[in-house]
Amino acid sequence: MITDANLCLAGIISEVNMKQKLLAVLIDPDKFDENNASGFLSNLPEVTTHIFVGGSVVAEGRTCEVVKILKDITELPVILFPGDHSQISGHADALLFLSLISGRNPEYLIEQQVKSVKKIKNTQLEIIPTGYILIDGGKKCSVHKVSNTIPLSQDDIENIVNTALAGQYSGKKLIYLEAGSGAETHVSEEIIRSVKSALEIPLIVGGGIRSTTQLQNAYNAGADLVVIGTAFENGSFRE
């Protein structure tokens, strides 16, 4: 289990090099019940290695409140997965510095990143440059709506691979394939396998994973870290 929260990226890389598979639970601050925080965490799978915190749209200040609560009750690394620059808390361990490289909206390629600098530079957050790739999950997800970008088709594997490599070549330390919150269709094993075989950096996969079978399939295809959110929030994750 990763517990050195001050070396989140190094920890991920180390585990990946040892062929260990990682699991992050994504918490949407606006849906988190702080009165049942300990109970929620106690029900997570024992193999959980990270807590991600963020949402497409979150009330001002709510992310910081939730991060503080989580840091008091868990030793797992708490990593920000922000929908915009307002969702930054210096109380977290690290920040996925996301760039939506699958889209062409400058607001989520660079503008939100520039807006976040004022907050980030005055914190001790570990900054992890991350290439974020939105994949069509069969429904219009929140990321699609908020970012005003079109997800990449699951049939266009070559474009997905090239986008991931462009992220790696431009200095990203992680690539994140996202089918969207509550996706009807998760990222296919063929896509995961193709992207992983091309990359030299860790691969994160999330969206639409609702069972241990789907989780294991993602791992077998090459995902280094899988993110599950909605299925844990609503209790629909199947063992």
Side-chain angles (χ1 to χ4, degrees):
M1 177 182 293
I2 295 176
T3 57
D4 189 351
N6 294 318
L7 294 170
C8 292
L9 178 59
I12 291 172
I13 293 173
S14 175
E15 294 290 300
V16 170
N17 288 340
M18 292 189 292
K19 309 301 182 183
Q20 299 297 312
K21 297 299 184 178
L22 308 174
L23 175 65
V25 173
L26 173 61
I27 293 175
D28 185 330
D30 279 345
K31 299 177 182 178
F32 187 67
D33 180 6
E34 55 263 55
N35 295 317
N36 188 42
S38 296
F40 177 83
L41 291 178
S42 67
N43 288 327
L44 296 182
E46 292 184 6
V47 293
T48 302
T49 57
H50 297 79
I51 302 293
F52 283 5
V53 180
S56 295
V57 180
V58 176
E60 185 75 28
R62 180 60 179 162
T63 298
C64 194
E65 293 174 0
V66 171
V67 168
K68 287 180 180 178
I69 292 169
L70 292 171
K71 288 300 297 177
D72 283 341
I73 60 177
T74 181
E75 294 184 357
L76 293 174
V78 176
I79 300 178
L80 299 175
F81 176 53
D84 59 47
H85 72 282
S86 70
Q87 298 176 38
I88 293 176
S89 169
H91 297 280
D93 299 304
L95 165 70
L96 294 184
F97 200 58
L98 301 168
S99 182
L100 186 55
I101 59 176
S102 59
R104 298 298 180 264
N105 183 349
E107 184 66 26
Y108 292 91
L109 279 168
I110 189 61
E111 292 293 342
Q112 282 293 323
Q113 292 81 354
V114 172
K115 292 174 182 177
S116 71
V117 168
K118 186 175 181 180
K119 288 185 177 180
I120 292 174
K121 67 182 182 181
N122 294 317
T123 72
Q124 297 299 312
L125 286 169
E126 179 184 346
I127 311 302
I128 307 176
T130 304
Y132 191 51
I133 301 176
L134 186 59
I135 308 293
D136 186 3
K139 60 179 284 188
K140 192 169 185 177
C141 66
S142 297
V143 177
H144 182 179
K145 297 174 185 176
V146 172
S147 68
N148 194 28
T149 63
I150 304 299
L152 301 184
S153 169
Q154 298 220 26
D155 294 327
D156 195 357
I157 296 178
E158 182 179 7
N159 188 31
I160 295 171
V161 170
N162 289 345
T163 301
L165 280 173
Q168 176 181 294
Y169 295 159
S170 63
K172 307 305 182 189
K173 302 301 182 184
L174 302 172
I175 294 295
Y176 194 141
L177 300 179
E178 170 71 279
S181 177
E184 295 177 356
T185 306
H186 55 77
V187 179
S188 74
E189 285 80 29
E190 185 178 2
I191 292 173
I192 297 171
R193 190 175 298 109
S194 298
V195 172
K196 179 59 180 177
S197 66
L199 289 178
E200 296 178 354
I201 58 177
L203 177 62
I204 302 175
V205 177
I209 296 176
R210 299 182 177 87
S211 70
T212 53
T213 298
Q214 292 173 342
L215 175 63
Q216 191 59 53
N217 287 342
Y219 285 146
N220 291 342
D224 297 306
L225 190 158
V226 173
V227 182
I228 301 178
T230 303
F232 282 135
E233 285 177 355
N234 60 27
S236 63
F237 187 78
R238 302 187 303 275
E239 297 292 341

